[in-house]
Amino acid sequence: MSTNTGRVAIVTGGSRGIGREAAQRLASEGFPVVVNYAGNEAEAAKAVTTITEAGGRAIAFRADVSDPEAVAALFDAAEEEYGGVDVVVHAAGVMSDPTPIADTDFDLLDRVHRVNIRGTFAVDQQAARRVRDGGAIINFSTSVLGLSLPGYGVYAATKGAVEAITLILARELRGRDITVNAIAPGPTATDLFLTGKDEETIARMAAQPPLARLGRPTDIAEAVSFLAGPARWVNGQTIRVNGGIA
């Protein structure tokens, strides 16, 4: 366990997948963590239990990231429980089934836009106002954006916006010693990625990177740990954590 007890982290989407692994990694390094979740209270509780049983500190807090008032309440909870916020890992997001742009339903577009773009604005806005000097803001993009895969127009478009927000916010926070970066995972073995894919598709995608496997949530958590802690000279960047596929 690290001796870091002064820096506090919020992890959105922290109840499952990459967000949960990131929360557990930061907690193992001594961060008190607020595990945000949208609706799965049971999984959020499990994440908190895993952290506390390992000797860490964590609470769960429900908030829809696309609701600015709910996001403000999330930050309030972190400040009330732990005294402030130093690191924000915005891992919450949704992904749509691959659909050609010509066939895209606009209700789907609006739903993904609301969570991935509006949610990033809401979380980053509170982070910009409330993260203490010397902190870090970590957003999530996707390597799908760089690959320009057919069928992923909706998802890639929202993550392109995330990358733009990331660089602009980094520049807007000049003088406060706060870094703002994004992580763009490649195919990673989470429920979000695996659901709806057959074994052939999964095997084909696992073979794409030179390392010849799917990413693991722990791989992504390594990058989160780096950006949350020692990476003070990395700012305004998108790091493609994908095993080398692009």
Side-chain angles (χ1 to χ4, degrees):
M1 178 69 69
S2 167
T3 58
N4 168 38
T5 56
R7 302 182 76 217
V8 176
I10 291 174
V11 181
T12 70
S15 64
R16 292 184 291 177
I18 289 170
R20 181 168 176 171
E21 194 67 44
Q24 292 173 182
R25 174 61 182 261
L26 293 179
S28 76
E29 295 172 353
F31 285 82
V33 177
V34 179
V35 176
N36 159 254
Y37 66 100
N40 198 326
E41 183 177 3
E43 288 300 318
K46 288 180 184 178
V48 169
T49 298
T50 299
I51 289 169
T52 56
E53 287 183 347
R57 301 168 65 193
I59 61 170
F61 191 89
R62 182 174 184 169
D64 175 356
V65 296
S66 67
D67 179 349
E69 292 185 1
V71 173
L74 168 65
F75 278 75
D76 289 343
E79 291 174 347
E80 290 166 7
E81 185 73 18
Y82 297 125
V85 180
D86 301 279
V87 171
V88 174
V89 181
H90 179 41
V94 294
M95 187 174 185
S96 57
D97 291 332
T99 306
I101 291 171
D103 300 328
T104 293
D105 179 89
F106 276 78
D107 288 340
L108 172 65
L109 175 65
D110 291 343
R111 181 177 67 85
V112 179
H113 180 287
R114 180 175 179 83
V115 175
N116 292 358
I117 300 181
R118 181 183 169 96
T120 299
F121 256 99
V123 171
D124 280 12
Q125 182 178 79
Q126 288 298 318
R129 294 172 178 175
R130 299 165 78 165
V131 165
R132 291 182 286 208
D133 291 2
I137 300 167
I138 304 165
N139 292 322
F140 268 79
S141 180
T142 174
S143 288
V144 167
L145 182 59
L147 295 170
S148 300
L149 296 175
Y152 286 87
V154 170
Y155 185 59
T158 64
K159 293 303 188 176
V162 169
E163 293 193 15
I165 293 165
T166 297
L167 177 55
I168 290 169
L169 184 58
R171 293 177 173 176
E172 290 178 348
L173 296 182
R174 171 182 292 272
R176 290 187 46 197
D177 191 28
I178 295 173
T179 61
V180 188
N181 294 288
I183 293 172
T188 305
T190 64
D191 288 342
L192 179 68
F193 170 77
L194 295 172
T195 298
K197 294 182 176 68
D198 58 33
E199 290 186 8
E200 181 181 352
T201 299
I202 293 169
R204 175 173 49 79
M205 297 185 79
Q208 286 180 328
L211 298 179
R213 64 171 176 85
L214 293 176
R216 306 182 185 102
T218 52
D219 296 321
I220 315 305
E222 288 278 356
V224 170
S225 173
F226 175 64
L227 293 174
R232 301 309 304 165
W233 198 236
V234 180
N235 192 26
Q237 305 301 310
T238 297
I239 299 178
R240 307 208 180 281
V241 186
N242 61 25
I245 60 173

